Amino acid sequence: MIHEYFTAKEIATAIQELGFQAKIVDDDNRLTIESASSGKKWTVALHGVDPFFNSMFLRIIIWVPKDPLEWANKWNSSNCSSMAHAVTLDDESAPTPDDDGDYMIMISSNYEFEGGVTTPYLQNAFLQWMTAVEELSEFDDIKICRSQISRLSND
C-alpha cells in the first residue's frame, strides 16, 4: 500500500520490524521517535499535522575535538544519503567549542512522503540511515550525543 502520510506508531513499528527499539516521545506536542543502532542513539523528528506526518528528519548529534567544518566536509564528500553540518549557537556565529573543547555536529537525513511511499521503502530509508550511523564507528575521535538518555523500549 502506498502512503503519503504515516502515523508515529506506523513509523515506530517499521523500525521495530527491523529488529530495533523505537520509543515515541511527546515533548510539548512535538512527536519524535528515539531509536538506536550500532550502539548509537538517534532521533526521528516527525513533520506534518499529528497524527498524519508527511515527512521525517533523522538526526544524530556527535562532538568532534577539532575543526567541525573540516569534519563535516569530509563526511559530506563521501556520504550521499546523509548530511553533516557544524552546529552554531546562532545563525551569525562561527562554531564554538563546548566546555570540553569539542564541537557539535548534526548528521541528518530528510525523507518526504509526498507522491507516496510504501512501508518497505520507509524501512529501506531506515536501513540506509543505520548504515550511515554504523560508519561513525570508524571515527575514533568522535563522541556521541551526551544529552540523549536511554529511555528506549518497545512500548
Side-chain angles (χ1 to χ4, degrees), residues 119-134:
T119 299
Y121 173 87
L122 191 66
Q123 289 177 320
N124 185 58
F126 284 116
L127 290 173
Q128 286 179 339
W129 171 251
M130 291 176 196
T131 298
V133 170
E134 173 67 27

Side-chain angles (χ1 to χ4, degrees), residues 110-141:
N110 190 51
Y111 293 92
E112 302 284 334
F113 308 146
E114 186 176 327
V117 299
T118 62
T119 299
Y121 173 87
L122 191 66
Q123 289 177 320
N124 185 58
F126 284 116
L127 290 173
Q128 286 179 339
W129 171 251
M130 291 176 196
T131 298
V133 170
E134 173 67 27
E135 287 179 37
L136 292 172
S137 299
E138 298 172 14
F139 296 92
D140 295 330
D141 60 343

Side-chain angles (χ1 to χ4, degrees), residues 17 20 30 36 64 73 83 87 91 97 103 133 135-137 144 155:
E17 287 175 353
F20 297 89
R30 293 194 60 155
V64 298
N73 286 341
M83 177 184 72
V87 178
D91 291 337
Y103 296 88
V133 170
E135 287 179 37
L136 292 172
S137 299
I144 301 301
D155 297 338

